[in-house]
Amino acid sequence: MKIVAVIGAGSMGNGIAHTFAQNGFTVKLIDVSEDALEKGMTTIFTNLDRMQNKGSITAEDKMKTISNIICYTDIEDGVVGADLVIEAATENLDLKLRIFKKLNEYCSHNTVFATNTSSISITQIASVVAHPERVIGMHFMNPVPIMPLVEVIRGYNTSDEVSQFIVTLASKLGKTAVEAHDYPGFVANRILMPMINEAIETLYNKVAGVSEIDNVMKLGMGHPMGPLQLADFIGLDVCLSILNVMYDGFKNPKYAPCPLLVNMVNAKKLGVKSGEGFYDYSENKKAEKVSKQFQQN
């Protein structure tokens, strides 16, 4: 396998593109938005510069990685000739189904389709593809170039050959593949999102403030990042979407999103991506407006 197409140039998509390109693959990075592609490539440049400054790569490595990435705004042009297509679009079922219907039309029957979904059913996504045995979940962690885990999720029809191919491929990228079955949230988010949601509930019930909740989990539980700060980095809209998928899938109230999370997403307070979430990133991450609000009587 030599050519990989990545659909979506956001934080996950550009990270996936970076990782494959750095490992010698030709990457076709696809996004309908030229602005998104420009921002994605800027992020890749910035991350490679940081790696070079730390001495983990050379200037030659950096330029070779960049030269391995080709950008496209047309999905049909972008996926032509790809051996593997990885969809890394927004966590929205309808959008993913539209993309996979196009892939079914544009790609050969030998092309392997992977989705970076963090919660949506692989089997449901594969239902719009003529050969669903070639569809699999390949859930990378953010930031992709650094995090060693790839959660590999087999759909109901995913073949043994495709599953083994993806596990082997992850190893070639320097990642560790952990296989999971196709249930809402898989393993990572089935455990993580209820914890984040409970942290938000703790804030909502005024048990403690933002920094206090995060410090308890960092200092007492050994977490490198508190759950509220982590939610900001994931994106509160993404957290809400994943919780809704799990709530719809299991019909269990423990997965119901906290009203505070719903209100913050409605108010466009999405975390790092919007400049403000549980922390205010527009002021060097020093202000904690949400925390102060809940500390006032």
Side-chain angles (χ1 to χ4, degrees), residues 133-202:
E133 67 275 5
R134 57 178 165 156
V135 181
I136 194 166
M138 197 175 189
H139 179 209
F140 291 86
M141 305 294 128
N142 193 25
V144 180
I146 297 173
M147 298 297 282
L149 175 67
V150 177
E151 197 174 24
V152 176
I153 308 98
R154 294 179 60 151
Y156 188 85
N157 294 301
T158 305
S159 70
D160 292 340
E161 291 78 11
V162 167
S163 180
Q164 186 55 53
F165 165 69
I166 293 298
V167 169
T168 302
L169 178 61
S171 178
K172 291 180 179 179
L173 297 174
K175 308 294 186 185
T176 297
V178 176
E179 295 186 74
H181 293 295
D182 188 19
Y183 293 99
F186 316 131
V187 173
N189 282 315
R190 184 167 179 173
I191 295 171
L192 175 63
M193 286 303 153
M195 183 191 73
I196 287 177
N197 198 45
E198 193 63 31
I200 300 171
E201 285 278 2
T202 303

Side-chain angles (χ1 to χ4, degrees), residues 80-95:
V80 169
D83 303 296
L84 169 67
V85 179
I86 302 175
E87 172 271 315
T90 304
E91 193 73 347
N92 177 282
L93 176 61
D94 290 339
L95 174 61

Side-chain angles (χ1 to χ4, degrees), residues 6-10 12-14 16 86-90 96 99 114-117:
V6 179
I7 300 175
M12 295 305 297
N14 70 61
I16 295 169
I86 302 175
E87 172 271 315
T90 304
K96 292 182 186 297
I99 290 172
T115 172
N116 185 59
T117 181

Side-chain angles (χ1 to χ4, degrees), residues 5-35:
V6 179
I7 300 175
S11 60
M12 295 305 297
N14 70 61
I16 295 169
H18 171 165
T19 300
F20 273 94
Q22 190 175 334
N23 283 276
F25 293 89
T26 297
V27 179
K28 305 172 91 173
L29 182 58
I30 308 163
D31 200 296
V32 293
S33 167
E34 289 186 3
D35 183 56

Side-chain angles (χ1 to χ4, degrees), residues 22 47-59 61:
Q22 190 175 334
N47 289 337
L48 288 169
D49 281 340
R50 187 179 296 114
M51 294 173 75
Q52 182 185 350
N53 291 337
K54 290 181 178 179
S56 56
I57 63 171
T58 66
D61 293 331

